[in-house]
Amino acid sequence: QVQLVESGGGLVQAGGSLRLSCAASGSIFSGNSMAWFRQALGKQRELVARIARSGSTIYADSVKGRFTITRDNAKNTLYLQMNSLKPEDTAVYYCNNWSNYVLNRNWGKGTQVTVSS
């Protein structure tokens, strides 16, 4: 049983937009917070954005003002709207709840985002 499925990645030109989706199991989505992470080639995984069940959000400084994280609790789905994309946004994007992040477990395959100049 697949518990996390990221989708929506692709190749986009700098300045373009992309919308990522994360379909999660009810168990994973029941956590207080869901988050998007990304891992660029040769780099460690980093937090992109986090959203609590209440809707409160936190963003990495590098994406603040450009990315928007949202969640649909009824559909157990997490979204990341990415605007004004830059080449440095190129990475594999993953979603997970905060507990799994802390435990470093239950990661999906992620979705590749490539931004060309």
Side-chain angles (χ1 to χ4, degrees):
Q1 186 230 8
V2 178
Q3 297 190 76
L4 288 167
V5 179
E6 300 95 341
S7 62
L11 175 63
V12 64
Q13 294 182 21
S17 297
L18 224 47
R19 181 177 171 84
L20 307 184
S21 297
C22 168
S25 69
S27 178
I28 290 176
F29 214 82
S30 69
N32 183 59
S33 295
M34 292 290 294
W36 284 98
F37 307 85
R38 67 187 182 187
Q39 186 167 22
L41 190 65
K43 304 290 185 179
Q44 289 190 340
R45 185 192 300 116
E46 66 173 346
L47 175 68
V48 175
R50 179 181 178 180
I51 182 169
R53 197 166 188 87
S54 65
S56 298
T57 58
I58 297 172
Y59 295 91
D61 288 341
S62 59
V63 308
K64 199 170 298 180
R66 300 188 298 119
F67 291 10
T68 303
I69 186 171
T70 56
R71 61 190 291 165
D72 187 332
N73 293 333
K75 295 183 179 294
N76 291 338
T77 303
L78 184 72
Y79 303 97
L80 185 68
Q81 178 66 46
M82 306 185 295
N83 299 324
S84 302
L85 283 162
K86 304 174 180 180
E88 52 261 44
D89 295 319
T90 295
V92 178
Y93 284 69
Y94 303 90
C95 65
N96 217 332
N97 69 29
W98 198 253
S99 294
N100 283 340
Y101 160 70
V102 170
L103 295 169
N104 192 26
R105 72 177 187 183
N106 208 22
W107 296 99
K109 294 188 297 183
T111 185
Q112 175 71 49
V113 172
T114 303
V115 184
S116 63
S117 59

